Structures are given as C-alpha cells and as structure tokens.
Amino acid sequence: MKFPLRYSLLLVLFCAAAQGGEWSGNIAGELRLFPSEPLHGEQHAGNLSLSLDPEFHHEWEERGQSLVFNPFLRLDQHDPERTHADVRELYWQKVAERWELRLGIRTVFWGVTESQHLVDIINQTDLVENLDGEDKLGQPMMDLALIGEWGTLELFILPFFRERTFPGARGRLRAPLSVDTDDPEYESSAEDHHLDWALRWSRSVGDWDIGLSHFSGTGREPQLKLRLGGSDFLKLVPYYDQIQQTGLDVQLTKGPWLWKLEAIHRSGQAESFAAVTAGFEYTFTGVFGTAADVGILAEYLYDSRGDDAPLPFENDVFLGVRVGFNDTQTTELLAGAIVDPQSGATFASLELSRRLGSNWRLNVEARAFLHFPETDPAYSLRNDDYLQAELAWYF
Amino acid sequence: MTALRGGYSTQTRAASGMLLSLLLAFMCAAETPEEKGLAIATESTLRDTGWGDYETTATMVLRNRQGDESTRELRIRYLEQEDDGDKSLVVFDRPSDIKGTALLTHTHKAEADDQWLYLPALKRVKRISSSNKSGPFVGSEFAYEDLSSQEVEKHTYKHLRDEALDGLPCFVIERVPVDPDSGYTRQIVWIDQGEYRIQKVDFYDRKDALLKTLSVKGYQLYLDKYWRAGELNMINHQTGKSTQMLWTNTLFRKGFTSRDFDQSSLASVK
C-alpha cells in the first residue's frame, strides 16, 4: 500500500492541473444479511458497507497516449480488515501501431471460464470484497505488448507484490482462526520486493481465441500456516511461495455455442500440480417469444491435488443459467452451483442486476454453502450463507 | 455493428462492378424483377464504396407505449474492408452504469460475424456469440442485424414497383434474408431513385406479420460522395415502442487502421 498511496498523491496533483480529463465511477451502499447464527462470538448477523470507485481518464495525441487513475475505497461497519483503500489502476499508456507500453498500477484479466479463474494470475485477489475472487488489487507493473500478424505477445515486469486481503476476526466468511495479514511469510528473502515476471501470447484465428501464458515469481495464492501468536493463542499467517505457473486458455465460438478451456501447471508450491476448468455455454435467443436470452452453462473443475487442494474445487461440476432480459433496464440474472458429486457439497450463487432510473443500479447477490463435510476447506463457511443488496449511483 | 448508411454497404469490388455492368447491359432486354432488385441493391452499394473510415456519435431515445423515455449515448467508429465485411467499434457513454463498455464487431460476408465485448468493471474482454442477431440492441427497437454491415450477399432481392415517398421517386424492393437466424421473413425497402439511399423499411416477423417500420431522415453528403443519415426512427407496431437514433459529429478519413479494431484497442478505448 505504501507505493500506491505515494503515486496517487502525485496523480491527484496531476489531475488537478490536467485539462480535458474526465471523471466517472460509482458510489455504492451494501447490506449483507446472514440468516444463520455466526460460529464466532465477535461476528454479526448483518453488515452495512459503503464503497467509492471513481475513475479518471485523460488521453492526448489522438488516442496515442493516455493516463488512467482508479482509486477504490470501502468503509465497513464491522470488519476493520474490510475497511480498506486501494489503487486499482494508475498508469500511463502509449499505443503505437506495432506495440503498446504501460507503466504504473493496473488490473489485468486473463481467461474464459465462469466458475473459477485458474489462468488469471497477474493481480492479487481482494478477498475481503467478495469470495468469488473477481475483485482484484492493483498491481504495479511495466507491461510491453508486441503486436503482429502472429498475435500479441505481452511481457509483464512485476516489481512489487501485493498481499491477499483476508476478513478480520469480526468479519464473516473466514477460516476458524483469523488470518494475521500483518505478519506474512515469504519463501524469497526479497519478500514482497521479489521481481516477478510473466509472458502471455494470445491470438484470435477464426472461431478460436487462444492464450498461452507463463508466470514466474511470488504465488498469489498463499498457504496458511499455523503460528503461535503471542504466548497463548494460535493464528494463521499467509506464506507466499516462489512458483512457476504455465497456463492455457482457449475458447471456440460456434454459433450459439461457446466452448471453454482453462488449464494450469504450477510448481514450487508443495508438490507440482495441474488444474483444469472446461465446459460450455449455450445460448437460446428470444425464448418464449420474448426478447430474453437464456444461456446454459456447464463446467468441470479438476485439481490433481485432490482433497489436498486448498480450494474446495478439486473434482466438481458447475451448472448455471444466465438470463439477459434485453430490456430497457438491462436486467441480468446469473444463477449457478458448484457441486462435488462425491460428497454432495454445494456452493450455490445467484446474482441479479437491474438499472433503476438512468443513474442507479441495484445488484442482489445470494450465496449458500450446503452439505460441506468437515474435511472440506470450505466447512468453516457453513453458517455464512448470505443475502446481499447493493445500490450503486453512477456519475 | 455498422449503422445503416445511406445505401447498403461498402463492399463492392471489381467483380460486382462487372456484374453490375452485365446487369445493366441486359436491363433493356428482358430483366426479371429479381435481376432489377439485385441491380438496385448493387448500385446502392457501389455508390457507397471507398469511404475508408469514419467515426460518429449516436444518441438513442427509447420510448415505450406510455411515453417513458430512456437515453443511450454511444460513439462508433468504422473501418471499410476491401475483401470482407466492415469492422466497427462501439463505446457506450450513457447510461453511466455501462460507460466504457465496448463492442467490437468484425463482420463477414458469408460466415458468422466475430464479436468481442469489453466489460470495464472486470477489465475483461469476452468473445461473444454473434448468433443473436435478431435480439434487441441495448434494449432498443433496433435488432443487431438492423445495425449490421449490410452486404449485398446477405439478402436476395426483388423489385416490386416504383412509387413516390413524400414526393421523392423511389424504387420499392423486397429483400429476403439469406441467414436462417434472421428475425425477419422479408423487408420492403424504399430507395430513392436519384441517390440510391434507403428512405424507409418495413420489417416482417417470422410469422410474416408487419413488425416494425424504419424511417430515415436528414441525409447529409460527406466527401462529396457519401450520404449519411442524421436520424433513424424505428417504430414497433406490435408493442407500440419506438427508438429514435440521432447521428452527429460524423468525421470521415480519421486514418484508422485495423489496429484500432483489435482486442487491445477494445480494452484501451475509453
């Protein structure tokens, strides 16, 4: 956080002086309700939260150069760990005919599947935001993209590491022991200053979109180690390994079919392992004579570590349905469940979103953890089913 | 997505030019209504060839039967392709919750179009299916296919009659979509005889009932050769809803290249 904050002060000064730039973004209020009794006395049944997500954008030289600044702030009623600020993006970009160069803090997404994002590794997960792992912390980087007939080759130099955020003792959706993020451990003696790098080649050929990537450096996903905190209590501390991860993501688009594959091989974190997510999305358009589209999603999730995997998804099936109502309010619904066919453990999720008026948007989210056995890493979330409503005002 | 332009579209090559000459040569002889329909469509396309690239701003006003309005603002840039369908990039400015969302389309003459969507909240580029061409574009009365690059090859044609529309002498032709995924059985198109510009279109749904009527107004001439409409009005007769689309700030020959229409540009355009 030291670096991003220092940069953002500079940028605020720059923005004040800049002409022609543009602010947009949203401010949102969020309410979470947990119907089940919390497992830990310091937790609460409900939670209010406020977030601010503005973005400044300025470009010059007829789109050749641009500057982007996207700070983020959340204030949380109960969990001081969830009250946090971040610089999601703060970078300068130069776009030329055969190359693009970006310097600063960015958020980069890789991948194609819906149920989990195996290949996506550049940014650290902002876990206190949402347990789906789709919220990310800004990553300082230099990113050079070379563009040719053969596709796009991107080189990332990642000089500073961002630690994963974890809910605090008073927050829900956490392990039985809370994670002490003030005392992380690293395999590298350079700790969070290890110079990580990544390469990605991507290309679209006809119906195919293909990406091949390699990452070398500090693993984004920590092991949680049991440590003695002071004289008489135990705590979890994150341990960040040095890893090598090779990833492949492929999508084939054929009429209403999207066929998707993500696969990774990772070494350096205990035993080497492979993991795969593969599946499809099929869209029915204009169902029942309405304007709505209904998409059916199915994905298979595999992790060669089996039950030793730190994630609950090691040999599971994801089934989902996506409805785009194609109405004036852009109403959208995504419902799905990841099921372990052996144990019956199920993670169910529902997301509903609708514009209200012209500047407001209501997002409703419900998540449930069903039949998780004691041996599953997600067992500690068994009483943390929740219903969330977020009302956002866009400017 | 390529907006309805003055005529059909751009992709007339030497080959179709030759075809046209042949057709014209036979015109005086026995020309069937199908031949005459195709000749009109081809001439309309030929007259709108060679514009290169342009960008424009569109405001869409969506109205329901009760008269409630909702507004969309978008910026669009186009790149003409010599041997293929055009490329387009649409960026949304309003409503503000979808600001920065961008849609990249590489249209093709015969095979399905390629489409990618950029979602700014996730910084994610998604390849999407283009098979939903009959679906509404951002909740409006325009379907994706109404706004798509209108290659001659995408329809078969038949000249019905000549008649005046608001005092303007027009050819009236029927065109039938080749693609079975189209939401229409046929369209009746009024094209003015002087400049070969689309003036009005009646759309018939899959049950062959009149679904929508498009009226085109405010044509302006650019580069002394290319006509672009200032206003499109689409009325849905079955729901009573309508969408008005206003085009402003049209600028030709911006010097775009295919790099301005690739996936990197999709993520970096704001």
mmCIF file of all heavy atoms in Angstrom, chain B residues 188-206:
data_model
loop_
_atom_site.group_PDB
_atom_site.id
_atom_site.type_symbol
_atom_site.label_atom_id
_atom_site.label_comp_id
_atom_site.label_asym_id
_atom_site.label_seq_id
_atom_site.Cartn_x
_atom_site.Cartn_y
_atom_site.Cartn_z
ATOM 1 N N ILE B 188 -39.465 -4.781 -46.831
ATOM 2 C CA ILE B 188 -39.795 -3.967 -48.000
ATOM 3 C C ILE B 188 -39.019 -2.655 -47.844
ATOM 4 O O ILE B 188 -39.131 -1.986 -46.820
ATOM 5 C CB ILE B 188 -41.314 -3.673 -48.085
ATOM 6 C CG1 ILE B 188 -42.115 -4.979 -47.975
ATOM 7 C CG2 ILE B 188 -41.639 -2.910 -49.366
ATOM 8 C CD1 ILE B 188 -41.875 -5.970 -49.085
ATOM 9 N N VAL B 189 -38.221 -2.325 -48.868
ATOM 10 C CA VAL B 189 -37.294 -1.207 -48.761
ATOM 11 C C VAL B 189 -37.599 -0.159 -49.830
ATOM 12 O O VAL B 189 -37.750 -0.499 -51.009
ATOM 13 C CB VAL B 189 -35.836 -1.708 -48.933
ATOM 14 C CG1 VAL B 189 -34.851 -0.585 -48.630
ATOM 15 C CG2 VAL B 189 -35.562 -2.911 -48.046
ATOM 16 N N TRP B 190 -37.687 1.096 -49.397
ATOM 17 C CA TRP B 190 -37.857 2.222 -50.323
ATOM 18 C C TRP B 190 -36.497 2.895 -50.527
ATOM 19 O O TRP B 190 -35.875 3.344 -49.553
ATOM 20 C CB TRP B 190 -38.836 3.240 -49.752
ATOM 21 C CG TRP B 190 -40.287 2.868 -49.895
ATOM 22 C CD1 TRP B 190 -41.168 3.365 -50.811
ATOM 23 C CD2 TRP B 190 -41.038 1.950 -49.088
ATOM 24 N NE1 TRP B 190 -42.414 2.800 -50.639
ATOM 25 C CE2 TRP B 190 -42.366 1.938 -49.586
ATOM 26 C CE3 TRP B 190 -40.726 1.120 -48.001
ATOM 27 C CZ2 TRP B 190 -43.373 1.138 -49.035
ATOM 28 C CZ3 TRP B 190 -41.728 0.321 -47.455
ATOM 29 C CH2 TRP B 190 -43.028 0.339 -47.978
ATOM 30 N N ILE B 191 -36.029 2.921 -51.764
ATOM 31 C CA ILE B 191 -34.731 3.520 -52.097
ATOM 32 C C ILE B 191 -34.967 4.632 -53.129
ATOM 33 O O ILE B 191 -35.610 4.384 -54.156
ATOM 34 C CB ILE B 191 -33.783 2.450 -52.684
ATOM 35 C CG1 ILE B 191 -33.481 1.390 -51.618
ATOM 36 C CG2 ILE B 191 -32.500 3.075 -53.194
ATOM 37 C CD1 ILE B 191 -32.706 0.206 -52.145
ATOM 38 N N ASP B 192 -34.451 5.840 -52.813
ATOM 39 C CA ASP B 192 -34.748 6.923 -53.763
ATOM 40 C C ASP B 192 -33.964 6.738 -55.059
ATOM 41 O O ASP B 192 -32.835 6.265 -55.063
ATOM 42 C CB ASP B 192 -34.500 8.297 -53.112
ATOM 43 C CG ASP B 192 -33.047 8.610 -52.904
ATOM 44 O OD1 ASP B 192 -32.388 9.036 -53.856
ATOM 45 O OD2 ASP B 192 -32.570 8.414 -51.761
ATOM 46 N N GLN B 193 -34.609 7.120 -56.173
ATOM 47 C CA GLN B 193 -34.043 6.832 -57.493
ATOM 48 C C GLN B 193 -32.886 7.758 -57.840
ATOM 49 O O GLN B 193 -32.041 7.423 -58.668
ATOM 50 C CB GLN B 193 -35.143 6.937 -58.555
ATOM 51 C CG GLN B 193 -36.210 5.882 -58.349
ATOM 52 C CD GLN B 193 -37.334 5.959 -59.386
ATOM 53 O OE1 GLN B 193 -37.326 6.798 -60.280
ATOM 54 N NE2 GLN B 193 -38.311 5.065 -59.259
ATOM 55 N N GLY B 194 -32.830 8.921 -57.215
ATOM 56 C CA GLY B 194 -31.752 9.865 -57.542
ATOM 57 C C GLY B 194 -30.416 9.467 -56.944
ATOM 58 O O GLY B 194 -29.406 9.436 -57.624
ATOM 59 N N GLU B 195 -30.400 9.130 -55.643
ATOM 60 C CA GLU B 195 -29.133 8.897 -54.941
ATOM 61 C C GLU B 195 -29.007 7.490 -54.374
ATOM 62 O O GLU B 195 -28.010 7.174 -53.726
ATOM 63 C CB GLU B 195 -28.968 9.920 -53.804
ATOM 64 C CG GLU B 195 -28.945 11.389 -54.256
ATOM 65 C CD GLU B 195 -27.677 11.768 -55.002
ATOM 66 O OE1 GLU B 195 -26.694 11.012 -54.915
ATOM 67 O OE2 GLU B 195 -27.679 12.826 -55.671
ATOM 68 N N TYR B 196 -29.987 6.659 -54.579
ATOM 69 C CA TYR B 196 -29.949 5.266 -54.109
ATOM 70 C C TYR B 196 -29.748 5.158 -52.592
ATOM 71 O O TYR B 196 -28.923 4.376 -52.104
ATOM 72 C CB TYR B 196 -28.869 4.463 -54.857
ATOM 73 C CG TYR B 196 -29.275 4.097 -56.264
ATOM 74 C CD1 TYR B 196 -29.207 5.040 -57.279
ATOM 75 C CD2 TYR B 196 -29.741 2.819 -56.568
ATOM 76 C CE1 TYR B 196 -29.593 4.730 -58.574
ATOM 77 C CE2 TYR B 196 -30.135 2.491 -57.862
ATOM 78 C CZ TYR B 196 -30.066 3.460 -58.855
ATOM 79 O OH TYR B 196 -30.464 3.154 -60.130
ATOM 80 N N ARG B 197 -30.483 5.983 -51.828
ATOM 81 C CA ARG B 197 -30.381 5.943 -50.359
ATOM 82 C C ARG B 197 -31.634 5.296 -49.783
ATOM 83 O O ARG B 197 -32.753 5.549 -50.275
ATOM 84 C CB ARG B 197 -30.278 7.374 -49.797
ATOM 85 C CG ARG B 197 -29.095 8.139 -50.285
ATOM 86 C CD ARG B 197 -29.257 9.612 -50.003
ATOM 87 N NE ARG B 197 -30.461 10.166 -50.608
ATOM 88 C CZ ARG B 197 -30.731 11.466 -50.715
ATOM 89 N NH1 ARG B 197 -29.888 12.354 -50.229
ATOM 90 N NH2 ARG B 197 -31.849 11.886 -51.271
ATOM 91 N N ILE B 198 -31.482 4.516 -48.722
ATOM 92 C CA ILE B 198 -32.645 3.918 -48.056
ATOM 93 C C ILE B 198 -33.473 5.023 -47.401
ATOM 94 O O ILE B 198 -32.937 5.852 -46.665
ATOM 95 C CB ILE B 198 -32.204 2.883 -46.997
ATOM 96 C CG1 ILE B 198 -31.627 1.648 -47.686
ATOM 97 C CG2 ILE B 198 -33.385 2.500 -46.101
ATOM 98 C CD1 ILE B 198 -31.190 0.562 -46.735
ATOM 99 N N GLN B 199 -34.771 5.047 -47.693
ATOM 100 C CA GLN B 199 -35.661 6.064 -47.115
ATOM 101 C C GLN B 199 -36.590 5.453 -46.072
ATOM 102 O O GLN B 199 -36.969 6.118 -45.116
ATOM 103 C CB GLN B 199 -36.486 6.720 -48.223
ATOM 104 C CG GLN B 199 -35.646 7.433 -49.273
ATOM 105 C CD GLN B 199 -34.945 8.675 -48.728
ATOM 106 O OE1 GLN B 199 -35.378 9.280 -47.759
ATOM 107 N NE2 GLN B 199 -33.829 9.036 -49.352
ATOM 108 N N LYS B 200 -36.947 4.187 -46.277
ATOM 109 C CA LYS B 200 -37.916 3.558 -45.377
ATOM 110 C C LYS B 200 -37.795 2.044 -45.518
ATOM 111 O O LYS B 200 -37.484 1.549 -46.605
ATOM 112 C CB LYS B 200 -39.330 4.012 -45.785
ATOM 113 C CG LYS B 200 -40.455 3.446 -44.955
ATOM 114 C CD LYS B 200 -41.802 3.963 -45.483
ATOM 115 C CE LYS B 200 -42.940 3.083 -45.015
ATOM 116 N NZ LYS B 200 -44.228 3.478 -45.592
ATOM 117 N N VAL B 201 -38.017 1.331 -44.388
ATOM 118 C CA VAL B 201 -38.011 -0.128 -44.434
ATOM 119 C C VAL B 201 -39.168 -0.654 -43.595
ATOM 120 O O VAL B 201 -39.367 -0.211 -42.459
ATOM 121 C CB VAL B 201 -36.685 -0.722 -43.860
ATOM 122 C CG1 VAL B 201 -36.671 -2.243 -44.021
ATOM 123 C CG2 VAL B 201 -35.460 -0.112 -44.520
ATOM 124 N N ASP B 202 -39.947 -1.575 -44.155
ATOM 125 C CA ASP B 202 -40.943 -2.315 -43.363
ATOM 126 C C ASP B 202 -40.373 -3.702 -43.071
ATOM 127 O O ASP B 202 -39.939 -4.393 -43.992
ATOM 128 C CB ASP B 202 -42.256 -2.485 -44.152
ATOM 129 C CG ASP B 202 -43.138 -1.238 -44.069
ATOM 130 O OD1 ASP B 202 -42.918 -0.425 -43.149
ATOM 131 O OD2 ASP B 202 -44.033 -1.097 -44.929
ATOM 132 N N PHE B 203 -40.388 -4.087 -41.792
ATOM 133 C CA PHE B 203 -39.841 -5.385 -41.392
ATOM 134 C C PHE B 203 -40.986 -6.340 -41.071
ATOM 135 O O PHE B 203 -41.881 -5.985 -40.294
ATOM 136 C CB PHE B 203 -38.965 -5.257 -40.143
ATOM 137 C CG PHE B 203 -37.758 -4.376 -40.325
ATOM 138 C CD1 PHE B 203 -37.837 -3.003 -40.137
ATOM 139 C CD2 PHE B 203 -36.518 -4.922 -40.667
ATOM 140 C CE1 PHE B 203 -36.726 -2.191 -40.295
ATOM 141 C CE2 PHE B 203 -35.405 -4.116 -40.824
ATOM 142 C CZ PHE B 203 -35.499 -2.744 -40.637
ATOM 143 N N TYR B 204 -40.953 -7.535 -41.633
ATOM 144 C CA TYR B 204 -41.978 -8.558 -41.355
ATOM 145 C C TYR B 204 -41.359 -9.665 -40.513
ATOM 146 O O TYR B 204 -40.285 -10.160 -40.821
ATOM 147 C CB TYR B 204 -42.542 -9.113 -42.668
ATOM 148 C CG TYR B 204 -43.403 -8.090 -43.372
ATOM 149 C CD1 TYR B 204 -42.822 -7.089 -44.143
ATOM 150 C CD2 TYR B 204 -44.786 -8.094 -43.227
ATOM 151 C CE1 TYR B 204 -43.609 -6.126 -44.760
ATOM 152 C CE2 TYR B 204 -45.581 -7.134 -43.841
ATOM 153 C CZ TYR B 204 -44.987 -6.149 -44.606
ATOM 154 O OH TYR B 204 -45.762 -5.190 -45.199
ATOM 155 N N ASP B 205 -42.066 -10.024 -39.419
ATOM 156 C CA ASP B 205 -41.508 -11.007 -38.479
ATOM 157 C C ASP B 205 -41.601 -12.428 -39.041
ATOM 158 O O ASP B 205 -42.025 -12.641 -40.178
ATOM 159 C CB ASP B 205 -42.184 -10.898 -37.106
ATOM 160 C CG ASP B 205 -43.655 -11.305 -37.126
ATOM 161 O OD1 ASP B 205 -44.107 -11.910 -38.118
ATOM 162 O OD2 ASP B 205 -44.349 -11.018 -36.133
ATOM 163 N N ARG B 206 -41.208 -13.403 -38.217
ATOM 164 C CA ARG B 206 -41.134 -14.788 -38.694
ATOM 165 C C ARG B 206 -42.500 -15.347 -39.065
ATOM 166 O O ARG B 206 -42.601 -16.332 -39.778
ATOM 167 C CB ARG B 206 -40.458 -15.680 -37.649
ATOM 168 C CG ARG B 206 -38.957 -15.430 -37.575
ATOM 169 C CD ARG B 206 -38.289 -16.267 -36.514
ATOM 170 N NE ARG B 206 -36.854 -15.965 -36.478
ATOM 171 C CZ ARG B 206 -36.125 -15.955 -35.372
ATOM 172 N NH1 ARG B 206 -36.675 -16.251 -34.223
ATOM 173 N NH2 ARG B 206 -34.843 -15.680 -35.431
#
